[in-house]
Amino acid sequence: MKSVEVTINPTEVRSVKYINAFSKKPGEKISLSVKSEASIKLNPTNPVVALVIVKVIVEDPDKCIQMEIETITGVNVSTFIDNLDQFIKEKYLPVIIISANEKVRALSAMMGTPIKIPNPRFGAVSEGESGGLTQ
């Protein structure tokens, strides 16, 4: 297999939706649920480019606080790769999720509701299997 150069662009915030109808009293605990999902979108007209979209949804059970943040990260490879989405998922998705986590954390702290995406789990594999960490 020939060597492939991978360029991961900086993570950008694509969209933010925020509703805060906060009605709790000072000192009351807030139970926030955090859901995140990542998807990889390929470009059929340019098969060496892909976008990784990470969407984070935060809300409390009473729906007083609702936040939806979507980030995008561009990935370019130097040559055509079969199953580019699987290649990105296996080798680079954890790094991209950590980058998105930092964007979400910084943005939510500015809005007064500091949150973070649940930490991705990494499983170490031997070098011969896939060359590094996988999710």
Side-chain angles (χ1 to χ4, degrees):
M1 180 177 164
K2 54 180 148 172
S3 68
V4 176
E5 289 183 20
V6 177
T7 305
I8 300 175
N9 297 326
T11 299
E12 304 280 336
V13 175
R14 182 178 185 185
S15 68
V16 177
K17 295 177 186 170
Y18 181 60
I19 298 171
N20 187 352
F22 192 66
S23 60
K24 300 274 184 186
K25 296 176 187 159
E28 280 187 60
K29 292 187 178 185
I30 304 171
S31 174
L32 295 176
S33 68
V34 180
K35 299 176 195 167
S36 65
E37 65 180 48
S39 61
I40 300 170
K41 303 292 184 192
L42 302 177
N43 185 347
T45 60
N46 192 356
V48 296
V49 175
L51 284 177
V52 180
I53 300 170
V54 178
K55 188 176 191 178
V56 178
I57 300 170
V58 179
E59 58 188 15
D60 69 329
D62 300 331
K63 307 268 190 223
C64 291
I65 297 175
Q66 296 176 334
M67 185 183 316
E68 184 177 308
I69 301 172
E70 195 172 56
T71 64
I72 57 171
T73 306
V75 179
N76 301 325
V77 292
S78 60
T79 186
F80 177 78
I81 298 174
D82 283 330
N83 300 325
L84 178 59
D85 53 345
Q86 191 65 29
F87 175 78
I88 293 169
K89 183 178 178 183
E90 289 175 359
K91 300 206 179 268
Y92 300 102
L93 192 59
V95 172
I96 293 170
I97 289 175
I98 289 170
S99 176
N101 188 2
E102 287 303 308
K103 282 286 185 185
V104 169
R105 187 187 61 77
L107 186 61
S108 65
M110 283 191 302
M111 291 189 284
T113 312
I115 59 164
K116 68 178 188 135
I117 300 172
N119 295 325
R121 294 179 183 221
F122 301 101
V125 294
S126 67
E127 274 300 310
E129 289 181 33
S130 69
L133 298 176
T134 60
Q135 182 178 13

